[in-house]
Each structure stands twice: as structure tokens, then as C-alpha cells.
Amino acid sequence: MAVTDDRKYTKAFVYNLLEGVKGKTLGEVDKSHQFARTQNSGKITGIAGDVIEQSVFGYKRDSKQECDIEIDGVLTELKTTGVRIPKSDLKNVKDKSGAAYNVYLGAKEGISITGVTFEPDIQRDFMTSHFWEKSEHLLIVFYEYKSYEVVSASEYAQFPIVDYCYNRFSDEERDKLQNDWEIVRNYLQVIYAKYPTQEERNENLRGFTHVLRPDLLLIELVPGFKKKSTGTYQKPRYRLKQTFVDYIVRGHFDKSRAATEVKLRESFSSFSQLDALCHSIAAKYSGKTFLQLKRFFCIDTEMSTKDFGAKCVLKMFDAKCNRLNQITDFTKVGIIAKTITITPTGGRTEDMKLKHIDFEEWADKDIDFEESELYAYFCEHCFLCPVFCERDPKDPSKTTFEGFKRFAFDESFIENEVKRTWDDSRNLIHRNELKWEYVYDNQGNKRRNKSGSYMGAPNFPKSSEYVVFFRGGSNVSTDATRTEVVNGIKMLPQFFWLKGSYIADKLQTLSYL
């Protein structure tokens, strides 16, 4: 693989080039007039990358499956990606600027690397694959997506270029990427060996991206492989998960992060290795009661507290942190660790709080479900569930540790339950049918909560009718805490929740790791 002379640079040149545009908006550096195209189209995918490639570096965009540029003789892939302050951190950046502000920036989305190779030949070796050639050396340019709503392509002109970094993956990360890539390669090889014609192969590859998704740590395959109305097939690309890109972004802006990272003493490069680790832990502690675990691990927390089980699991993993989801090995690959308490018959599990809802996508009538952050969230994440069994509701000391179960959301669940909630909630907003529903007593009077505010909630999907539903998130509901405003209606910040009965039913279908 080689690049043309106009794409060869020295590191000193690149440094001066990018240092010269830091702090400027994409519109201010747009010498090639990319934003002129927005006069005819409000939606242009990748316009920020077009500006960096064609206006800053000065070369034409192409779709070749090879690296973009060469820096001091090293083939390098140039990527442009959006970062922003999560809403939950807005209070922390008030009156801050520069490095003190940037330390709170996180990834807005994943980074697409290259298309999955199908023909003429499935690649055999990871180290010479298109994927590794294009991801081994990354030059990533960050711009700040300064909006919490979906904006038109023209509005990207106001977004500032924040910084850039040269990214090289650690040996541990490379091993994870290689394992992911080989899972895809091995699956494709079996299909191509078994079915002699392209038509048969395509039919048997439908939905394969969802089949492989629960086994992939750092990459995802998007879009899904499916037949389009034209008769051709939509083919996927390798994309670094948003959770992994967020890890890269935060590591770049927070140079002290390494000192506070919480890593497992025994890491893993595949889900099969994680499953084996969980199996070995379960073999040691399964059947132990809360009382036995409290004494063995010298845990000070009372057994009646809600997070006692989680503290036991942290000790099992020998993790030096307060919460399971502070473990870096989990967060960077999209693992959500949630302790589950069941009855001896496998029933009764609490509803599970998932993701804070940013309503930016709900305002965009044109966005497809498969392009949404909600879709990406359910595709990227899986649940690792340490399971406890409540033997006596009146005596928590008798609750026993049963083991671990792990699950991801399958295609059917995402396309039916998640999409149903997505469609119905967006329709309420777009059709102006969203309303506030008060709670009334038996006499027909509005009820008040302990704070004195009237009880009620917006008519978003609720747990009585939906598996994935909305619920406000706050310790108290008052006018002051109802900080979310949708269609002029004030409400608590809204979260997606997963119905407890679904979790209980799902876990009963799974074996312990």
C-alpha cells in the first residue's frame, strides 16, 4: 500500500498545520468551500471530515480501502470525530476553559474504520488486513459538537476544532481488536466454504452482524447486513465502539487518568476469556452467604444495604473501586455490570435503570432508528450479571451468591421492543401529543408528593405496557428538579429503563458462566 506524493507529510508539517487551526471553527478553515454544499442539502454525512481532509490537508476525499496519508514514512489513517461535554458534566465546566474544560470532553460517537472484506477474497491474516493497516496508526482530529440537538450540516461550521492526537493501540488493545476481527473472519470463511454461490452466501449472511455482536469487545459491525429494496445488499463496516472511543478521548484530554484507572488484576482479550474468569470466581464463591462473604472479605457495609452484593463482587474481582462500572476493563468494551437478586424459583427482579435520554434525536424527524444513539447503545452494550438468591426476605444474611450470567440484546429485541419505544415516544413529540398526566386520589383531587409538588409524569411509554420504558431520575420531584423541557413541558431528566420481568425471564434462559 502506498499513497501519492501529495499525501506525504513530515510530522513537523502536520504539527504546524493542526496547531494553526486549533480553536478555529470548521467554517473558518473551510478553504475548499465544503459548506457551500449545504445550500442544497441540510444533511451531509461526514462534512467535518471533508473539511479537515480537503480544506486543512488539501487532498480530495476518496473511498479507497487504504490509508489516507503518510507521515515521516508511516502510513496513517486520518479520522475526524466529534467530542462534547456530557450533560451530566455541564455543572463541572461552568466558568472553565482550555485544559480545565477539555478534561470533561467525551466521544459523541464511534469511529468508522473500513468496510468488511467479503470479496474477492476473505483476508486471512489480521496483521496484513485492511482493518489493521487503517487502524494501527491513527491521526484523530477532534472538533466539539457544541449542541445537544441534532443540527443541520451548515451548523457544523460553528463547531471549533479542539485538538488532535496520534493514536497507537496498546498490545492489550491490539489483542482485543485482533480477536474481534478473527471472529468476523472465521464466521465469513465458514459461510463462503459452505455455500458455493453468491446468492446463497448473501441469504445466509443476513443478520450475521447481530449474531456476532455479543462476542465483539471493541468493534461493532454497522450497518446490519440486509437486502435493500433495490435488490443489492447493505454491507457493514468495522467501527470502533463509542465506549472505546470515549476511553481514547478521555485518555487524551486527561493525562492523569492512568493513575486513577481501575483495572482487573487478570484482564481478558475476548468474551470467552472473561467468561472463564467469571467461571473460576463462581467456582470459588458460589453458594456462599452474605454473612460468609462479609466475614471472608472483611466488608464493613451492612448486609441490608442495596449495594452489599456489589461490594462482594468487587472483592471477588479484587477491584479497588466503589462501583462495578468504574472498572476500566468493563467500561471501555461496553460491559454494564449489574447485580441481580432473584428468588429461589428465579423470579422477581427490579427494573433496571439504563441510559439518560438526550432528546436531540427526538427532534430530528429524518433520523433513522439504526442511525440513532439509542440503537448504538443497545447494540454496543452487554450485561454482566452477578446473581444472588434471596433465601429469606427477612434475613439478608442468608442470601447466597449463585454465579454470573451475561447477555446482549438480540436483533429481535432491538427491532421490536426498543424500536417500538423509539417510534411511539417520537410520535408523541412530533405530533404534539405529549402531555403531562397528573395523579389523582379517590376523590378526583390532584395528589401531592412529600415535597409539596403535584404528582405526575409525561405520557411517555411506561412499564405497564412497554419492556423498554421512560422514567424520571431524581431523588425528589419538584419544580426545581424538573429541568428537562420537551414540547414546553417541564419534567425530571428522563432515563430508559428495562422491565424487571424481562430480565428475570431472560436470565432463566441462560446458563451460569
Side-chain angles (χ1 to χ4, degrees):
M1 182 187 292
V3 300
T4 54
D5 288 341
D6 63 322
R7 297 189 181 205
K8 295 180 180 180
Y9 310 94
T10 64
K11 198 163 188 176
F13 177 86
V14 172
Y15 173 83
N16 289 327
L17 187 68
L18 294 180
E19 286 293 318
V21 299
K22 277 171 57 175
K24 295 182 179 179
T25 66
L26 292 169
E28 288 173 334
V29 302
D30 183 25
K31 297 177 181 178
S32 61
H33 309 295
Q34 298 302 311
F35 285 107
R37 295 185 290 148
T38 65
Q39 296 175 7
N40 300 318
S41 177
K43 186 175 182 179
I44 301 176
T45 302
I47 192 166
D50 290 341
V51 171
I52 298 300
E53 291 177 357
Q54 299 181 49
S55 293
V56 177
F57 279 83
Y59 65 83
K60 296 295 183 182
R61 184 181 186 183
D62 62 49
S63 58
K64 294 179 181 178
Q65 203 171 36
E66 59 185 33
C67 287
D68 294 319
I69 60 179
E70 185 178 294
I71 303 177
D72 286 343
V74 177
L75 290 170
T76 303
E77 183 72 2
L78 175 63
K79 292 295 180 183
T80 304
T81 193
V83 295
R84 67 178 168 191
I85 305 294
K87 280 188 175 181
S88 58
D89 280 326
L90 286 176
K91 60 183 181 295
N92 297 321
V93 298
K94 188 177 181 181
D95 300 325
K96 289 185 172 65
S97 61
Y101 175 92
N102 293 345
V103 75
Y104 291 98
L105 290 169
K108 180 181 178 292
E109 57 199 357
I111 292 179
S112 178
I113 299 296
T114 191
V116 175
T117 300
F118 292 88
E119 294 182 274
D121 181 41
I122 299 170
Q123 293 177 312
R124 298 289 192 266
D125 180 56
F126 172 76
M127 300 304 291
T128 59
S129 66
H130 292 309
F131 173 82
W132 183 239
E133 287 174 340
K134 295 191 73 170
S135 56
E136 184 178 9
H137 301 276
L138 292 175
L139 172 57
I140 307 175
V141 178
F142 305 113
Y143 69 91
E144 186 177 4
Y145 192 96
K146 293 181 74 70
S147 175
Y148 296 97
E149 298 178 354
V150 174
V151 302
S152 64
S154 63
E155 293 178 82
Y156 276 67
Q158 305 304 316
F159 294 160
I161 299 167
V162 181
D163 206 355
Y164 61 95
C165 76
Y166 295 96
N167 184 77
R168 290 289 306 274
F169 296 111
S170 67
D171 290 346
E172 177 189 315
E173 291 167 344
R174 185 199 61 210
D175 289 344
K176 286 182 169 70
L177 291 168
Q178 180 169 351
N179 183 77
D180 284 356
W181 182 88
E182 289 177 350
I183 287 172
V184 179
R185 178 204 62 189
N186 293 346
Y187 189 93
L188 293 175
Q189 283 182 341
V190 170
I191 295 296
Y192 273 66
K194 185 174 181 180
Y195 300 101
T197 69
Q198 191 60 57
E199 183 178 354
E200 289 178 299
R201 292 167 180 168
N202 286 339
E203 283 300 308
N204 284 278
L205 283 173
R206 286 195 189 194
F208 88 94
T209 55
H210 290 278
V211 173
L212 298 185
R213 182 163 41 77
D215 298 322
L216 303 177
L217 285 174
L218 298 180
I219 65 173
E220 58 178 340
L221 304 174
V222 290
F225 187 92
K226 62 183 180 182
K227 194 171 187 176
K228 298 187 287 189
S229 59
T230 58
T232 59
Y233 282 83
Q234 175 178 273
K235 294 185 177 181
R237 297 177 61 82
Y238 293 106
R239 183 168 72 181
L240 302 181
K241 287 183 179 181
Q242 187 270 339
T243 53
F244 184 36
V245 178
D246 189 69
Y247 176 80
I248 295 171
V249 170
R250 293 183 183 278
H252 171 71
F253 288 110
D254 183 2
K255 305 303 182 185
S256 65
R257 185 189 64 180
T260 59
E261 278 190 319
V262 179
K263 294 187 176 182
L264 296 176
R265 186 166 58 182
E266 184 178 347
S267 191
F268 52 90
S269 61
S270 67
F271 273 117
S272 59
Q273 287 185 7
L274 173 61
D275 293 348
L277 173 60
C278 291
H279 179 80
S280 66
I281 291 174
K284 188 174 182 179
Y285 299 109
S286 180
K288 301 290 186 184
T289 65
F290 268 7
L291 182 59
Q292 290 173 313
L293 293 170
K294 179 179 176 68
R295 290 172 175 171
F296 183 81
F297 291 123
C298 301
I299 300 173
D300 294 331
T301 306
E302 292 297 323
M303 291 178 285
S304 58
T305 58
K306 193 172 183 179
D307 65 343
F308 181 81
K311 290 188 178 299
C312 293
V313 177
L314 286 170
K315 293 289 187 180
M316 295 175 193
F317 278 110
D318 193 26
K320 311 299 183 185
C321 57
N322 296 320
R323 298 195 309 273
L324 286 168
N325 291 311
Q326 291 176 325
I327 299 174
T328 304
D329 300 80
F330 291 166
T331 57
K332 71 192 292 187
V333 303
I335 293 174
I336 299 174
K338 291 276 190 179
T339 57
I340 300 293
T341 302
I342 60 173
T343 64
T345 58
R348 194 179 62 77
T349 297
E350 293 182 340
D351 295 334
M352 186 181 289
K353 186 179 181 180
L354 299 180
K355 174 181 170 56
H356 175 251
I357 301 169
D358 284 336
F359 283 96
E360 61 186 73
E361 292 183 333
W362 273 250
D364 187 349
K365 295 181 179 180
D366 298 325
I367 191 170
D368 292 329
F369 174 60
E370 290 190 352
E371 297 175 347
S372 70
E373 288 187 14
L374 178 64
Y375 178 86
Y377 176 86
F378 278 90
C379 281
E380 284 192 1
H381 289 87
C382 74
F383 286 89
L384 178 65
C385 300
V387 181
F388 292 86
C389 183
E390 185 182 71
R391 301 293 174 177
D392 185 346
K394 297 180 180 180
D395 188 356
S397 70
K398 295 180 179 179
T399 298
T400 56
F401 173 62
E402 301 298 306
F404 295 91
K405 293 189 177 185
R406 180 173 64 83
F407 72 91
F409 299 104
D410 57 34
E411 180 180 16
S412 176
F413 180 84
I414 294 174
E415 292 296 330
N416 293 302
E417 298 297 344
V418 181
K419 190 173 187 297
R420 176 177 172 237
T421 301
W422 159 268
D423 287 336
D424 290 356
S425 57
R426 278 163 52 89
N427 286 338
L428 288 173
I429 295 171
H430 295 158
R431 296 171 183 172
N432 289 317
E433 295 173 356
L434 185 68
K435 60 184 179 180
W436 184 267
E437 296 180 330
Y438 289 100
V439 177
Y440 296 89
D441 61 23
N442 293 334
Q443 286 72 45
N445 300 313
K446 294 178 183 177
R447 292 179 57 188
R448 293 181 183 270
N449 58 28
K450 293 180 179 179
S451 68
S453 298
Y454 286 116
M455 298 173 66
N459 61 329
F460 281 128
K462 294 180 171 57
S463 61
S464 58
E465 299 178 10
Y466 293 79
V467 176
V468 179
F469 60 94
F470 284 52
R471 184 182 292 168
S474 179
N475 293 328
V476 61
S477 178
T478 66
D479 290 340
T481 59
R482 293 170 184 167
T483 55
E484 192 77 67
V485 181
V486 183
N487 285 20
I489 299 173
K490 293 180 64 177
M491 63 190 74
L492 296 175
Q494 297 292 301
F495 289 80
F496 283 113
W497 287 68
L498 192 60
K499 199 167 184 175
S501 58
Y502 165 80
I503 301 167
D505 292 343
K506 182 72 173 179
L507 291 178
Q508 288 208 47
T509 67
L510 302 173
S511 300
Y512 285 100
L513 300 177

PDB file of all heavy atoms in Angstrom, residues 129-151:
ATOM      1  N   SER A 129      -4.338  -7.188   7.302  1.00  0.00           N
ATOM      2  CA  SER A 129      -5.722  -6.884   6.912  1.00  0.00           C
ATOM      3  C   SER A 129      -5.898  -5.388   6.675  1.00  0.00           C
ATOM      4  O   SER A 129      -5.136  -4.559   7.191  1.00  0.00           O
ATOM      5  CB  SER A 129      -6.688  -7.333   8.009  1.00  0.00           C
ATOM      6  OG  SER A 129      -6.501  -6.565   9.190  1.00  0.00           O
ATOM      7  N   HIS A 130      -6.908  -5.046   5.877  1.00  0.00           N
ATOM      8  CA  HIS A 130      -7.234  -3.636   5.673  1.00  0.00           C
ATOM      9  C   HIS A 130      -7.563  -2.970   7.003  1.00  0.00           C
ATOM     10  O   HIS A 130      -7.208  -1.810   7.228  1.00  0.00           O
ATOM     11  CB  HIS A 130      -8.435  -3.499   4.730  1.00  0.00           C
ATOM     12  CG  HIS A 130      -8.156  -3.927   3.322  1.00  0.00           C
ATOM     13  ND1 HIS A 130      -7.084  -3.463   2.610  1.00  0.00           N
ATOM     14  CD2 HIS A 130      -8.826  -4.776   2.494  1.00  0.00           C
ATOM     15  CE1 HIS A 130      -7.092  -4.002   1.400  1.00  0.00           C
ATOM     16  NE2 HIS A 130      -8.135  -4.798   1.305  1.00  0.00           N
ATOM     17  N   PHE A 131      -8.260  -3.699   7.867  1.00  0.00           N
ATOM     18  CA  PHE A 131      -8.654  -3.130   9.149  1.00  0.00           C
ATOM     19  C   PHE A 131      -7.435  -2.687   9.958  1.00  0.00           C
ATOM     20  O   PHE A 131      -7.380  -1.566  10.461  1.00  0.00           O
ATOM     21  CB  PHE A 131      -9.482  -4.135   9.951  1.00  0.00           C
ATOM     22  CG  PHE A 131      -9.783  -3.669  11.350  1.00  0.00           C
ATOM     23  CD1 PHE A 131     -10.830  -2.797  11.588  1.00  0.00           C
ATOM     24  CD2 PHE A 131      -9.009  -4.077  12.430  1.00  0.00           C
ATOM     25  CE1 PHE A 131     -11.100  -2.330  12.872  1.00  0.00           C
ATOM     26  CE2 PHE A 131      -9.272  -3.629  13.719  1.00  0.00           C
ATOM     27  CZ  PHE A 131     -10.321  -2.756  13.932  1.00  0.00           C
ATOM     28  N   TRP A 132      -6.436  -3.573  10.098  1.00  0.00           N
ATOM     29  CA  TRP A 132      -5.277  -3.219  10.917  1.00  0.00           C
ATOM     30  C   TRP A 132      -4.398  -2.185  10.225  1.00  0.00           C
ATOM     31  O   TRP A 132      -3.840  -1.295  10.867  1.00  0.00           O
ATOM     32  CB  TRP A 132      -4.474  -4.460  11.273  1.00  0.00           C
ATOM     33  CG  TRP A 132      -3.315  -4.157  12.185  1.00  0.00           C
ATOM     34  CD1 TRP A 132      -1.990  -4.379  11.954  1.00  0.00           C
ATOM     35  CD2 TRP A 132      -3.390  -3.570  13.494  1.00  0.00           C
ATOM     36  NE1 TRP A 132      -1.227  -3.959  13.015  1.00  0.00           N
ATOM     37  CE2 TRP A 132      -2.061  -3.459  13.983  1.00  0.00           C
ATOM     38  CE3 TRP A 132      -4.430  -3.117  14.293  1.00  0.00           C
ATOM     39  CZ2 TRP A 132      -1.763  -2.924  15.235  1.00  0.00           C
ATOM     40  CZ3 TRP A 132      -4.139  -2.573  15.536  1.00  0.00           C
ATOM     41  CH2 TRP A 132      -2.816  -2.493  15.996  1.00  0.00           C
ATOM     42  N   GLU A 133      -4.271  -2.272   8.892  1.00  0.00           N
ATOM     43  CA  GLU A 133      -3.483  -1.280   8.168  1.00  0.00           C
ATOM     44  C   GLU A 133      -4.039   0.123   8.388  1.00  0.00           C
ATOM     45  O   GLU A 133      -3.292   1.098   8.454  1.00  0.00           O
ATOM     46  CB  GLU A 133      -3.467  -1.609   6.673  1.00  0.00           C
ATOM     47  CG  GLU A 133      -2.589  -2.819   6.336  1.00  0.00           C
ATOM     48  CD  GLU A 133      -2.685  -3.232   4.880  1.00  0.00           C
ATOM     49  OE1 GLU A 133      -3.688  -2.863   4.221  1.00  0.00           O
ATOM     50  OE2 GLU A 133      -1.785  -3.925   4.396  1.00  0.00           O
ATOM     51  N   LYS A 134      -5.381   0.211   8.524  1.00  0.00           N
ATOM     52  CA  LYS A 134      -6.004   1.525   8.666  1.00  0.00           C
ATOM     53  C   LYS A 134      -6.199   1.945  10.120  1.00  0.00           C
ATOM     54  O   LYS A 134      -6.565   3.091  10.381  1.00  0.00           O
ATOM     55  CB  LYS A 134      -7.360   1.539   7.951  1.00  0.00           C
ATOM     56  CG  LYS A 134      -7.234   1.361   6.438  1.00  0.00           C
ATOM     57  CD  LYS A 134      -8.540   1.641   5.728  1.00  0.00           C
ATOM     58  CE  LYS A 134      -8.845   3.110   5.702  1.00  0.00           C
ATOM     59  NZ  LYS A 134      -9.975   3.470   4.824  1.00  0.00           N
ATOM     60  N   SER A 135      -5.975   1.045  11.070  1.00  0.00           N
ATOM     61  CA  SER A 135      -6.182   1.419  12.474  1.00  0.00           C
ATOM     62  C   SER A 135      -4.897   1.395  13.304  1.00  0.00           C
ATOM     63  O   SER A 135      -4.874   1.929  14.409  1.00  0.00           O
ATOM     64  CB  SER A 135      -7.228   0.505  13.121  1.00  0.00           C
ATOM     65  OG  SER A 135      -6.868  -0.855  13.011  1.00  0.00           O
ATOM     66  N   GLU A 136      -3.818   0.821  12.752  1.00  0.00           N
ATOM     67  CA  GLU A 136      -2.570   0.730  13.515  1.00  0.00           C
ATOM     68  C   GLU A 136      -2.033   2.113  13.873  1.00  0.00           C
ATOM     69  O   GLU A 136      -1.579   2.359  14.992  1.00  0.00           O
ATOM     70  CB  GLU A 136      -1.521  -0.058  12.736  1.00  0.00           C
ATOM     71  CG  GLU A 136      -0.237  -0.258  13.523  1.00  0.00           C
ATOM     72  CD  GLU A 136       0.797  -1.084  12.778  1.00  0.00           C
ATOM     73  OE1 GLU A 136       0.587  -1.361  11.569  1.00  0.00           O
ATOM     74  OE2 GLU A 136       1.817  -1.443  13.388  1.00  0.00           O
ATOM     75  N   HIS A 137      -2.089   3.035  12.903  1.00  0.00           N
ATOM     76  CA  HIS A 137      -1.620   4.413  13.132  1.00  0.00           C
ATOM     77  C   HIS A 137      -2.766   5.363  12.789  1.00  0.00           C
ATOM     78  O   HIS A 137      -3.103   5.528  11.614  1.00  0.00           O
ATOM     79  CB  HIS A 137      -0.408   4.730  12.252  1.00  0.00           C
ATOM     80  CG  HIS A 137       0.756   3.812  12.475  1.00  0.00           C
ATOM     81  ND1 HIS A 137       1.676   3.992  13.482  1.00  0.00           N
ATOM     82  CD2 HIS A 137       1.137   2.690  11.818  1.00  0.00           C
ATOM     83  CE1 HIS A 137       2.575   3.029  13.445  1.00  0.00           C
ATOM     84  NE2 HIS A 137       2.277   2.229  12.443  1.00  0.00           N
ATOM     85  N   LEU A 138      -3.343   5.965  13.810  1.00  0.00           N
ATOM     86  CA  LEU A 138      -4.464   6.879  13.606  1.00  0.00           C
ATOM     87  C   LEU A 138      -4.063   8.304  13.993  1.00  0.00           C
ATOM     88  O   LEU A 138      -3.468   8.524  15.046  1.00  0.00           O
ATOM     89  CB  LEU A 138      -5.672   6.469  14.459  1.00  0.00           C
ATOM     90  CG  LEU A 138      -6.410   5.170  14.112  1.00  0.00           C
ATOM     91  CD1 LEU A 138      -7.496   4.899  15.153  1.00  0.00           C
ATOM     92  CD2 LEU A 138      -7.016   5.247  12.721  1.00  0.00           C
ATOM     93  N   LEU A 139      -4.389   9.244  13.128  1.00  0.00           N
ATOM     94  CA  LEU A 139      -4.315  10.657  13.469  1.00  0.00           C
ATOM     95  C   LEU A 139      -5.755  11.123  13.609  1.00  0.00           C
ATOM     96  O   LEU A 139      -6.499  11.165  12.630  1.00  0.00           O
ATOM     97  CB  LEU A 139      -3.593  11.453  12.376  1.00  0.00           C
ATOM     98  CG  LEU A 139      -3.622  12.980  12.526  1.00  0.00           C
ATOM     99  CD1 LEU A 139      -3.030  13.428  13.853  1.00  0.00           C
ATOM    100  CD2 LEU A 139      -2.902  13.647  11.354  1.00  0.00           C
ATOM    101  N   ILE A 140      -6.150  11.433  14.843  1.00  0.00           N
ATOM    102  CA  ILE A 140      -7.545  11.778  15.111  1.00  0.00           C
ATOM    103  C   ILE A 140      -7.651  13.270  15.412  1.00  0.00           C
ATOM    104  O   ILE A 140      -6.976  13.789  16.305  1.00  0.00           O
ATOM    105  CB  ILE A 140      -8.087  10.978  16.313  1.00  0.00           C
ATOM    106  CG1 ILE A 140      -7.843   9.478  16.117  1.00  0.00           C
ATOM    107  CG2 ILE A 140      -9.585  11.239  16.488  1.00  0.00           C
ATOM    108  CD1 ILE A 140      -8.237   8.636  17.325  1.00  0.00           C
ATOM    109  N   VAL A 141      -8.496  13.951  14.641  1.00  0.00           N
ATOM    110  CA  VAL A 141      -8.763  15.372  14.855  1.00  0.00           C
ATOM    111  C   VAL A 141     -10.111  15.491  15.561  1.00  0.00           C
ATOM    112  O   VAL A 141     -11.113  14.942  15.106  1.00  0.00           O
ATOM    113  CB  VAL A 141      -8.778  16.145  13.523  1.00  0.00           C
ATOM    114  CG1 VAL A 141      -9.117  17.616  13.766  1.00  0.00           C
ATOM    115  CG2 VAL A 141      -7.439  16.011  12.808  1.00  0.00           C
ATOM    116  N   PHE A 142     -10.124  16.217  16.669  1.00  0.00           N
ATOM    117  CA  PHE A 142     -11.337  16.382  17.466  1.00  0.00           C
ATOM    118  C   PHE A 142     -11.960  17.757  17.227  1.00  0.00           C
ATOM    119  O   PHE A 142     -11.270  18.775  17.292  1.00  0.00           O
ATOM    120  CB  PHE A 142     -11.032  16.257  18.968  1.00  0.00           C
ATOM    121  CG  PHE A 142     -10.345  14.980  19.354  1.00  0.00           C
ATOM    122  CD1 PHE A 142      -9.039  14.997  19.827  1.00  0.00           C
ATOM    123  CD2 PHE A 142     -10.999  13.761  19.256  1.00  0.00           C
ATOM    124  CE1 PHE A 142      -8.399  13.826  20.202  1.00  0.00           C
ATOM    125  CE2 PHE A 142     -10.367  12.591  19.625  1.00  0.00           C
ATOM    126  CZ  PHE A 142      -9.063  12.609  20.098  1.00  0.00           C
ATOM    127  N   TYR A 143     -13.250  17.777  16.942  1.00  0.00           N
ATOM    128  CA  TYR A 143     -13.997  19.034  16.941  1.00  0.00           C
ATOM    129  C   TYR A 143     -15.092  18.924  17.997  1.00  0.00           C
ATOM    130  O   TYR A 143     -15.547  17.822  18.306  1.00  0.00           O
ATOM    131  CB  TYR A 143     -14.592  19.337  15.560  1.00  0.00           C
ATOM    132  CG  TYR A 143     -15.706  18.395  15.141  1.00  0.00           C
ATOM    133  CD1 TYR A 143     -17.045  18.686  15.425  1.00  0.00           C
ATOM    134  CD2 TYR A 143     -15.435  17.212  14.470  1.00  0.00           C
ATOM    135  CE1 TYR A 143     -18.061  17.819  15.054  1.00  0.00           C
ATOM    136  CE2 TYR A 143     -16.435  16.337  14.100  1.00  0.00           C
ATOM    137  CZ  TYR A 143     -17.750  16.653  14.390  1.00  0.00           C
ATOM    138  OH  TYR A 143     -18.757  15.778  14.030  1.00  0.00           O
ATOM    139  N   GLU A 144     -15.476  20.045  18.575  1.00  0.00           N
ATOM    140  CA  GLU A 144     -16.503  19.997  19.621  1.00  0.00           C
ATOM    141  C   GLU A 144     -17.885  20.195  19.022  1.00  0.00           C
ATOM    142  O   GLU A 144     -18.187  21.228  18.433  1.00  0.00           O
ATOM    143  CB  GLU A 144     -16.258  21.052  20.700  1.00  0.00           C
ATOM    144  CG  GLU A 144     -17.249  20.900  21.854  1.00  0.00           C
ATOM    145  CD  GLU A 144     -17.020  21.872  22.991  1.00  0.00           C
ATOM    146  OE1 GLU A 144     -16.117  22.737  22.865  1.00  0.00           O
ATOM    147  OE2 GLU A 144     -17.743  21.781  24.003  1.00  0.00           O
ATOM    148  N   TYR A 145     -18.713  19.190  19.203  1.00  0.00           N
ATOM    149  CA  TYR A 145     -20.113  19.255  18.768  1.00  0.00           C
ATOM    150  C   TYR A 145     -20.867  20.044  19.833  1.00  0.00           C
ATOM    151  O   TYR A 145     -21.352  19.488  20.808  1.00  0.00           O
ATOM    152  CB  TYR A 145     -20.672  17.836  18.616  1.00  0.00           C
ATOM    153  CG  TYR A 145     -22.002  17.756  17.907  1.00  0.00           C
ATOM    154  CD1 TYR A 145     -22.064  17.482  16.544  1.00  0.00           C
ATOM    155  CD2 TYR A 145     -23.196  17.919  18.597  1.00  0.00           C
ATOM    156  CE1 TYR A 145     -23.285  17.387  15.891  1.00  0.00           C
ATOM    157  CE2 TYR A 145     -24.424  17.837  17.954  1.00  0.00           C
ATOM    158  CZ  TYR A 145     -24.465  17.571  16.601  1.00  0.00           C
ATOM    159  OH  TYR A 145     -25.677  17.479  15.952  1.00  0.00           O
ATOM    160  N   LYS A 146     -20.944  21.339  19.638  1.00  0.00           N
ATOM    161  CA  LYS A 146     -21.479  22.230  20.674  1.00  0.00           C
ATOM    162  C   LYS A 146     -22.999  22.360  20.552  1.00  0.00           C
ATOM    163  O   LYS A 146     -23.548  23.445  20.321  1.00  0.00           O
ATOM    164  CB  LYS A 146     -20.812  23.598  20.602  1.00  0.00           C
ATOM    165  CG  LYS A 146     -19.335  23.572  20.972  1.00  0.00           C
ATOM    166  CD  LYS A 146     -18.714  24.953  20.924  1.00  0.00           C
ATOM    167  CE  LYS A 146     -19.127  25.817  22.092  1.00  0.00           C
ATOM    168  NZ  LYS A 146     -18.539  25.365  23.362  1.00  0.00           N
ATOM    169  N   SER A 147     -23.671  21.235  20.708  1.00  0.00           N
ATOM    170  CA  SER A 147     -25.128  21.228  20.675  1.00  0.00           C
ATOM    171  C   SER A 147     -25.627  19.951  21.328  1.00  0.00           C
ATOM    172  O   SER A 147     -24.944  18.916  21.296  1.00  0.00           O
ATOM    173  CB  SER A 147     -25.641  21.316  19.236  1.00  0.00           C
ATOM    174  OG  SER A 147     -27.056  21.203  19.212  1.00  0.00           O
ATOM    175  N   TYR A 148     -26.798  20.037  21.910  1.00  0.00           N
ATOM    176  CA  TYR A 148     -27.455  18.850  22.442  1.00  0.00           C
ATOM    177  C   TYR A 148     -28.710  18.542  21.649  1.00  0.00           C
ATOM    178  O   TYR A 148     -29.599  17.833  22.090  1.00  0.00           O
ATOM    179  CB  TYR A 148     -27.762  19.025  23.936  1.00  0.00           C
ATOM    180  CG  TYR A 148     -26.492  19.155  24.742  1.00  0.00           C
ATOM    181  CD1 TYR A 148     -25.995  20.392  25.102  1.00  0.00           C
ATOM    182  CD2 TYR A 148     -25.758  18.026  25.087  1.00  0.00           C
ATOM    183  CE1 TYR A 148     -24.807  20.518  25.794  1.00  0.00           C
ATOM    184  CE2 TYR A 148     -24.563  18.144  25.783  1.00  0.00           C
ATOM    185  CZ  TYR A 148     -24.100  19.388  26.134  1.00  0.00           C
ATOM    186  OH  TYR A 148     -22.910  19.503  26.823  1.00  0.00           O
ATOM    187  N   GLU A 149     -28.738  19.115  20.452  1.00  0.00           N
ATOM    188  CA  GLU A 149     -29.793  18.811  19.495  1.00  0.00           C
ATOM    189  C   GLU A 149     -29.134  18.433  18.174  1.00  0.00           C
ATOM    190  O   GLU A 149     -27.994  18.805  17.910  1.00  0.00           O
ATOM    191  CB  GLU A 149     -30.708  20.023  19.285  1.00  0.00           C
ATOM    192  CG  GLU A 149     -31.447  20.467  20.540  1.00  0.00           C
ATOM    193  CD  GLU A 149     -32.305  21.692  20.285  1.00  0.00           C
ATOM    194  OE1 GLU A 149     -32.226  22.251  19.173  1.00  0.00           O
ATOM    195  OE2 GLU A 149     -33.059  22.080  21.197  1.00  0.00           O
ATOM    196  N   VAL A 150     -29.847  17.684  17.342  1.00  0.00           N
ATOM    197  CA  VAL A 150     -29.339  17.372  16.015  1.00  0.00           C
ATOM    198  C   VAL A 150     -29.361  18.647  15.181  1.00  0.00           C
ATOM    199  O   VAL A 150     -30.375  19.349  15.141  1.00  0.00           O
ATOM    200  CB  VAL A 150     -30.196  16.283  15.344  1.00  0.00           C
ATOM    201  CG1 VAL A 150     -29.760  16.071  13.902  1.00  0.00           C
ATOM    202  CG2 VAL A 150     -30.096  14.978  16.114  1.00  0.00           C
ATOM    203  N   VAL A 151     -28.244  18.963  14.558  1.00  0.00           N
ATOM    204  CA  VAL A 151     -28.157  20.200  13.786  1.00  0.00           C
ATOM    205  C   VAL A 151     -28.000  19.882  12.299  1.00  0.00           C
ATOM    206  O   VAL A 151     -27.612  18.779  11.914  1.00  0.00           O
ATOM    207  CB  VAL A 151     -26.980  21.071  14.261  1.00  0.00           C
ATOM    208  CG1 VAL A 151     -27.111  21.396  15.741  1.00  0.00           C
ATOM    209  CG2 VAL A 151     -25.643  20.391  13.973  1.00  0.00           C
TER     210      VAL A 151
END
